[in-house]
Structure formats: C-alpha cells, structure tokens
Amino acid sequence: LRFSCRRGGGLVQAGGSLRLSCAASGLTFDDYAICWFRQAPGKEREGVSCIKRYDSRTYYSDSVKGRFTISSDNAKNTVSLQMNSLKPEDTAVYYCAAAPKSDYVYPLYGMKYWGKGTLVTVSS
C-alpha cells in the first residue's frame, strides 16, 4: 500500500489558490472516506474536509467552508482539495488520510492510512 499527497503545496499570497492532490496505490478509494487534515506550527492537528465516494457525501470544517472544495477523480483514484481565497491562517502542513468504510465515523474519525504531509504557506 502506498498512499501519498502528490502535489500542490507551496507558497502563495493571501487571496490566492492552491490545489492539493492525494493518490493511493494498493487501495481503491471507492470503499473509503478520504479526508484532509492540517497542522500549523505549535497547534493541534485539525480536520479540514472529507469525501466519501460510496455515497458522495462531503464534509467541510467551518474554517474552510465556502473557500475549499474537495473532489474525487474515479479514473485516476485521486482526491483533490481546491483551496481558494487562502488566508495566512491556512498555513500548515496538509495531510490526506483514508478511513475504511467500516471504520469511518462522521465527520473525521476512523483514519487508518496517512499520507506524508505537504507544506502550504500563505503570506500576508
């Protein structure tokens, strides 16, 4: 099993956009909830967004609702997080994670697999 955040982290000015992508080999996203988490320096890890391919439901934390969009590409077995109107407080290491359908508890619990993080820095 190989689970990774493929691309998208970097430095952007406030108000800008970035797109993060998460891919996996060895598992099919159809039976998983795929979620994005983030951890800012000196802060606890925070859940950001989740998507479930098996019922198409999504979840967004209040801090990103209306600015971030999570989506899945079935053909490529990837999940992406489009981040618009970025703010300096969005600066963090972003991680994707997967919870099997049997383990997932709404909105952000039951994660079994974690990708390596990607750093997003938003300058003011």
Side-chain angles (χ1 to χ4, degrees):
L1 173 69
R2 184 177 178 183
F3 192 55
S4 62
C5 296
R6 273 194 173 173
R7 63 183 184 273
L11 173 65
V12 65
Q13 288 189 330
S17 298
L18 283 173
R19 185 178 181 89
L20 307 180
S21 290
C22 182
S25 59
L27 67 83
T28 302
F29 282 173
D30 288 353
D31 295 326
Y32 287 80
I34 309 299
C35 302
W36 287 93
F37 293 79
R38 66 186 182 186
Q39 188 165 19
K43 295 188 177 181
E44 293 187 356
R45 188 173 62 201
E46 173 192 13
V48 174
S49 182
C50 283
I51 187 168
K52 295 183 289 173
R53 290 250 282 258
Y54 48 89
D55 65 9
S56 300
R57 288 185 67 186
T58 58
Y59 163 82
Y60 297 95
S61 67
D62 288 342
S63 60
V64 306
K65 197 174 295 182
R67 299 188 297 122
F68 290 12
T69 303
I70 193 169
S71 61
S72 68
D73 184 326
N74 295 353
K76 296 181 180 179
N77 206 36
T78 59
V79 170
S80 297
L81 185 69
Q82 178 66 42
M83 305 185 295
N84 298 330
S85 302
L86 283 162
K87 305 175 181 179
E89 51 263 44
D90 294 318
T91 294
V93 176
Y94 284 72
Y95 302 86
C96 59
K101 184 178 180 180
S102 57
D103 294 351
Y104 176 71
V105 177
Y106 184 85
L108 295 157
Y109 305 100
M111 301 301 122
K112 185 174 182 179
Y113 303 109
W114 291 83
K116 293 183 180 179
T118 185
L119 178 62
V120 171
T121 303
V122 184
S123 62
S124 57

